[in-house]
Amino acid sequence: MPKIDAPENLFFELLGKKMTDDELINIFPVAKAELDGHDIDGKVLKIELNDTNRPDLWSPAGVARALTTYETGEIPYYDFFSTEKEEQDSEGRMIIDDESALGIRDYSIGFACRGRVVDDDLLKNLIQSQEKLCFNFGRKRKTIAMGIYRSDLIKYPVHYAAVDPDSTKFVPLGLDEELSLREICEKHPKGKEYGYIVSSFPKFPYLYDDNNDTLSFPPVINSARIGAVEVGDSDFFVEVSGPILDDLLLAVNILACDMSDMGFEILPVKVKFAKDTPYGREITCPYYFQKPQKASVELIQKKLGENFTPDQIIAALAKMGVYSICDNGEIYIQVPEYRNDFLHAVDIAEDVMIGHGLENFEPVMPSDFTIGRLSPAEEFSRKVKDILVGLGFQEMMYNYLGSKKEYVDNMHVSGEDAVFIANPMSENYEVIRPSILPSLLESESVSGHAVYPHNIFEVGKVTVKDSSDNSGTKTKNCLGFFSADVQKTYNDAAAYIQTLMYFLRKDYTLAPVENDPRFIPGRAAYVVYKDKIAGVFGETHPQVLESWGCSMPSIMAEIDIDILIGETEEKKEEAVPEIKEDPELLAKWANKVILKVSKIVECERHPEGEKLYILKLDCGEPELRTIVSSIVPYYKREELMNRNIVLVSNLKPANFRGVKSYGMLLAAADKDDDSHSTCEVIFADDFAPGTVLEYEGQPETEKITTYLKADHFFDMPMETINGSVCINGKKIGKDGKFLKVEKYINGNVG
């Protein structure tokens, strides 16, 4: 996580007051930060930031802004931003981007500022902010490189172009001799560190003014004259370059707001682009480019578990620096100029949570209860793994995020179905894995020293675009396997597939692969299951092997496990056979069974029975009812306390190891459970204690006044049908509400 050093004097000046370490520790979470240390002698606060999606917080000014806004509820206002509809006067300040830089580092944008003399603390802070934005947010200058220059030495317009690296020369910062751009990459410390970013191109990026005076060689080093900012300077030109315009605009906006908070007057600069952009061919920076976002009041309430009013939501967002309004149950926000992290309505809910104050949420004991079990996909995946291990393959495990180079370029595919991260913090994690095969090839690329054959596999998830899903994506469970050896051919791959499908008891056919650049043409096939393409296998194409640095011939395959599972994984209501009404059974049940909703007010372990609870129940009667239940293996005490259950209240009392039980609670079980090892208590929290439950359409009848014997009760079998508790197919409940279960939706009740 990013860490920053904040000089005490500068930080408390920005904050508008001094605070003790304890006060800072308490309030820093508002800015997703924590006090990492305090150098009292050096008068420096060390702050660690815990959110990589908020680069606006990676500076003392950003943290101070967040804290001040939270305490006052006043949203910061900046009047120097241009918008699509209103352009600020740039007063002749201009950057002209030349088309020669396209494809290298496409854009250069910036702004100017003046009005505050830089002291040592302020200069260190500016350098730190520059480095944090470029190193963390800008991926070590690959996507963002920033320079701060002495504006009084610049003649506008500033020109940004790609030039010959051998004939273009200037004196770089930190040296006294003139070097060419290529020599800077070879000799200058910064050139050795960052020159690789552009050194593969025939021309290098270059920034100069209208007098042909050099500003910098981005993303490597400033010039020793215009680019040498010193203590005592007060007029600056700030420029950022890179390939992604939105990232550059955000970086400019962040630094402009920071410098405004520090007392600088921000001066707009017009930028002329060399190509069309979403914002046109010309914009004036700083430029407000963020789009409005919205979230429903209902969603915010549901996600946070509080019935916030629209006014409370608006006030909480204001404390986060976010202006918002409410219209017809929707909260519309204006994203702050220095933020671009609102990707989903949940992000708005998060800001409401922080603005409201975490300490203001009442702790609530979770009321839901589930019993963990393997999903059908996991059970099937384990079968697949066992088969692959039996075939001599070694299981691997990989990350689900990677780079475009790994998942697209090295596989020689278009990448049109790949899902890219909108705001990745590193190009190494910019794509969600669309296939397992690149992961397997990456392992092979570093395993050339190991004895052959190499047989590896993974069962894991992949994600691809899918317009039929409301998220636009689909996550699939897949098997990928890879085998490398001198003699590995298509026939070996086909044999592995045949063995796999045989033991999975899946009938399949093969279809030819016509155009898949991952495989050798004519040496690959699709696996077809129930008229769906369930996978592909074949001999790895030599170009793919070369891209990964692999030399040994190989075969590989990828199978969509979800297609093989088919309907067994789908959560469907089971077809229920028609139940013939039994008037005699229904009449007996109506006359003899009394089901009463009861609240558990006490729950203790039975001293003589390790599986028994002693429960005290509020049944809406003058006195509490005691029952004994053998549900210790399935429920913890805290999962039962204050829950409403269903009591067979007129059951004949019975002794359980010295404790008399006056009734029995109802629970559901697996319909095929002969060993009595499954249990789901039927909770009735939607009903008040004392409510007597009936089956749907039950006529008024007099109940027996004597006890109901247990064997007579079990002669009237109850069951769950598609989640509803029933007797003879009729739902049980009261006043239009019915008992439900979550786990054993088609099971037995007892």
Side-chain angles (χ1 to χ4, degrees):
M1 294 296 180
K3 294 184 179 183
I4 60 173
D5 291 341
E8 278 185 19
N9 293 337
L10 176 63
F11 184 72
F12 290 139
E13 173 193 335
L14 292 165
L15 200 58
K17 62 179 180 180
K18 289 189 175 182
M19 299 182 75
T20 65
D21 286 358
D22 287 341
E23 290 173 328
L24 291 173
I25 289 171
N26 289 333
I27 197 173
F28 267 173
V30 170
K32 298 186 177 182
E34 56 186 81
L35 186 62
D36 192 47
H38 188 175
D39 182 356
I40 298 176
D41 295 333
K43 295 185 177 181
V44 174
L45 297 167
K46 297 183 180 296
I47 305 172
E48 180 172 359
L49 288 310
N50 296 320
D51 193 338
T52 56
N53 294 321
R54 291 286 304 274
D56 62 293
L57 297 173
W58 301 350
S59 67
V63 175
R65 181 191 309 119
L67 301 187
T68 301
T69 304
Y70 180 81
E71 288 195 321
T72 64
E74 297 178 5
I75 300 173
Y77 173 70
Y78 302 100
D79 60 2
F80 46 77
F81 278 90
S82 295
T83 66
E84 182 181 4
K85 297 180 179 180
E86 182 179 357
E87 184 180 28
Q88 299 291 333
D89 185 4
S90 63
E91 299 176 340
R93 293 177 293 272
M94 183 183 298
I95 303 175
I96 300 175
D97 289 357
D98 189 80
E99 64 180 10
S100 60
L102 297 179
I104 302 175
R105 294 177 74 81
D106 293 22
Y107 307 103
S108 172
I109 66 174
F111 67 94
C113 60
R114 66 187 177 198
R116 175 167 180 174
V117 176
V118 172
D119 58 19
D120 188 59
D121 282 347
L122 188 54
L123 180 60
K124 290 179 181 177
N125 178 69
L126 290 175
I127 294 173
Q128 175 182 240
S129 298
Q130 175 184 353
E131 285 301 314
K132 291 297 179 185
L133 285 173
C134 295
F135 192 87
N136 294 78
F137 185 45
R139 306 175 198 168
K140 300 181 181 179
R141 303 193 187 182
K142 290 180 182 179
T143 57
I144 297 176
M146 181 182 299
I148 302 178
Y149 310 91
R150 300 167 67 184
S151 184
D152 55 321
L153 301 179
I154 296 174
K155 181 180 180 182
Y156 291 98
V158 170
H159 301 271
Y160 176 68
V163 298
D164 178 58
D166 297 305
S167 61
T168 307
K169 301 180 179 182
F170 70 96
V171 179
L173 188 66
L175 295 181
D176 296 326
E177 62 175 318
E178 188 176 72
L179 299 175
S180 70
L181 303 189
R182 195 179 303 279
E183 288 173 331
I184 290 174
C185 291
E186 296 169 352
K187 297 180 180 181
H188 196 284
K190 294 298 183 183
K192 295 177 182 178
E193 187 174 359
Y194 299 110
Y196 76 95
I197 298 173
V198 295
S199 59
S200 62
F201 295 102
K203 294 184 177 182
F204 292 179
Y206 184 59
L207 196 70
Y208 60 99
D209 72 358
D210 215 39
N211 283 331
N212 282 322
D213 285 339
T214 303
L215 274 70
S216 72
F217 163 27
V220 179
I221 192 66
N222 287 1
S223 70
R225 179 171 174 266
I226 298 179
V229 175
E230 299 176 350
V231 171
D233 291 336
S234 60
D235 291 16
F236 303 101
F237 170 64
V238 180
E239 176 270 345
V240 297
S241 68
I244 306 172
L245 184 55
D246 281 4
D247 287 357
L248 302 181
L249 289 171
L250 182 63
V252 162
N253 292 358
I254 290 171
L255 203 56
C257 292
D258 284 0
M259 297 187 79
S260 176
D261 290 348
M262 289 185 285
F264 286 96
E265 177 189 359
I266 305 303
L267 307 174
V269 172
K270 178 174 285 190
V271 182
K272 290 188 175 183
F273 298 117
K275 65 177 181 179
D276 292 330
T277 75
Y279 314 108
R281 294 291 288 255
E282 293 184 7
I283 63 172
T284 298
C285 296
Y287 183 81
Y288 183 74
F289 69 99
Q290 289 86 346
K291 304 299 182 185
Q293 302 289 335
K294 69 175 183 177
S296 67
V297 173
E298 181 183 4
L299 179 142
I300 293 172
Q301 292 173 337
K302 182 178 180 180
K303 293 297 182 184
L304 301 183
E306 294 281 349
N307 290 321
F308 290 117
T309 66
D311 287 343
Q312 288 175 316
I313 293 172
I314 291 170
L317 289 171
K319 297 182 75 173
M320 299 299 292
V322 179
Y323 174 77
S324 61
I325 61 171
C326 181
D327 183 31
N328 290 327
E330 296 282 344
I331 298 294
Y332 295 87
I333 72 165
Q334 179 177 312
V335 180
E337 300 88 341
Y338 45 84
R339 293 181 62 178
N340 199 32
D341 59 308
F342 290 96
L343 305 180
H344 189 275
V346 171
D347 296 315
I348 299 176
E350 180 188 22
D351 266 32
V352 173
M353 174 187 70
I354 299 173
H356 177 69
L358 294 174
E359 70 281 359
N360 295 321
F361 287 88
E362 290 291 335
V364 177
M365 181 67 69
S367 59
D368 293 339
F369 173 77
T370 58
I371 297 176
R373 66 186 187 277
L374 297 179
S375 67
E378 178 61 27
E379 290 179 343
F380 192 83
S381 295
R382 293 190 177 192
K383 292 181 182 178
V384 171
K385 292 178 182 180
D386 287 343
I387 295 169
L388 266 294
V389 170
L391 289 171
F393 284 77
Q394 180 177 348
E395 184 179 5
M396 311 292 285
M397 296 181 67
Y398 299 103
N399 293 327
Y400 290 163
L401 293 180
S403 68
K404 177 177 177 289
K405 180 180 179 182
E406 294 168 340
Y407 293 152
V408 178
D409 298 343
N410 283 359
M411 302 303 294
H412 297 267
V413 295
S414 65
E416 59 186 5
D417 63 341
V419 178
F420 284 74
I421 305 299
N423 59 340
M425 299 309 298
S426 168
E427 66 181 6
N428 293 326
Y429 305 103
E430 64 179 335
V431 184
I432 303 175
R433 183 173 70 171
S435 169
I436 293 177
L437 300 182
S439 301
L440 299 169
L441 280 159
E442 183 177 18
S443 291
E444 175 63 16
S445 69
V446 296
S447 302
H449 62 283
V451 176
Y452 286 92
H454 296 169
N455 296 323
I456 56 176
F457 80 96
E458 185 193 18
V459 174
K461 297 185 183 298
V462 302
T463 299
V464 294
K465 292 180 181 177
D466 184 356
S467 59
S468 65
D469 191 276
N470 59 9
S471 69
T473 67
K474 180 180 181 180
T475 299
K476 305 185 295 183
N477 295 290
C478 287
L479 158 70
F481 69 77
F482 177 92
S483 180
D485 201 3
V486 176
Q487 300 297 329
K488 289 295 181 182
T489 67
Y490 169 88
N491 291 335
D492 295 296
Y496 287 136
I497 293 294
Q498 183 179 22
T499 304
L500 173 69
M501 301 297 275
Y502 172 81
F503 283 107
L504 291 176
R505 298 181 181 179
K506 303 292 181 182
D507 293 326
Y508 72 100
T509 58
L510 298 180
V513 174
E514 296 182 357
N515 186 23
D516 191 328
R518 300 174 298 176
F519 300 95
I520 297 175
R523 307 295 294 171
Y526 289 122
V527 177
V528 181
Y529 177 71
K530 291 187 176 180
D531 297 325
K532 294 181 179 180
I533 295 178
V536 63
F537 68 91
E539 296 179 18
T540 313
H541 199 290
Q543 288 184 340
V544 173
L545 292 174
E546 183 179 354
S547 295
W548 283 101
C550 303
S551 58
M552 186 66 67
S554 64
I555 56 173
M556 57 186 185
E558 187 161 39
I559 304 294
D560 188 329
I561 289 177
D562 292 339
I563 291 179
L564 297 186
I565 295 173
E567 294 184 357
T568 59
E569 189 188 27
E570 297 177 7
K571 295 181 179 179
K572 294 183 176 181
E573 289 190 349
E574 292 184 14
V576 179
E578 184 178 351
I579 299 175
K580 185 177 180 180
E581 186 171 314
D582 184 345
E584 183 178 345
L585 171 62
L586 292 174
K588 186 188 297 184
W589 197 93
N591 289 324
K592 294 187 175 183
V593 178
I594 300 177
L595 298 185
K596 189 174 289 188
V597 177
S598 305
K599 182 177 182 178
I600 300 174
V601 295
E602 293 183 25
C603 177
E604 301 296 338
R605 293 286 294 272
H606 194 303
E608 302 297 329
E610 64 177 65
K611 295 183 179 181
L612 301 178
Y613 277 127
I614 300 174
L615 305 176
K616 297 286 188 180
L617 306 177
D618 175 5
C619 305
E621 301 169 348
E623 297 183 359
L624 297 180
R625 185 89 69 103
T626 299
I627 68 169
V628 178
S629 184
S630 58
I631 56 175
V632 169
Y634 310 103
Y635 291 87
K636 297 178 181 178
R637 178 182 180 277
E638 56 267 25
E639 293 167 341
L640 297 170
M641 283 298 298
N642 299 313
R643 299 294 302 272
N644 290 353
I645 52 92
V646 180
L647 178 72
V648 185
S649 68
N650 64 328
L651 203 65
K652 185 176 180 180
N655 282 308
F656 287 85
R657 299 195 178 185
V659 178
K660 184 168 284 190
S661 179
Y662 295 90
M664 178 186 76
L665 61 77
L666 284 188
D670 190 296
K671 63 182 177 181
D672 298 322
D673 180 15
D674 296 326
S675 61
H676 304 289
S677 61
T678 58
C679 172
E680 179 184 1
V681 170
I682 298 173
F683 292 112
D685 295 321
D686 290 339
F687 302 89
T691 302
V692 176
L693 304 178
E694 303 171 341
Y695 66 74
E696 192 174 14
Q698 178 177 318
E700 291 187 14
T701 183
E702 281 193 26
K703 300 283 187 181
I704 61 172
T705 57
T706 57
Y707 287 126
L708 173 66
K709 294 182 178 180
D711 56 347
H712 291 170
F713 172 71
F714 290 115
D715 283 340
M716 297 177 281
M718 299 169 63
E719 60 189 336
T720 59
I721 301 176
N722 289 330
S724 297
V725 180
C726 301
I727 176 70
N728 192 216
K730 294 186 177 295
K731 298 179 182 178
I732 296 174
K734 189 76 170 180
D735 298 331
K737 295 187 294 184
F738 301 100
L739 294 175
K740 292 283 188 180
V741 295
E742 295 182 357
K743 184 174 182 181
Y744 302 112
I745 61 174
N746 290 292
N748 298 322
V749 174

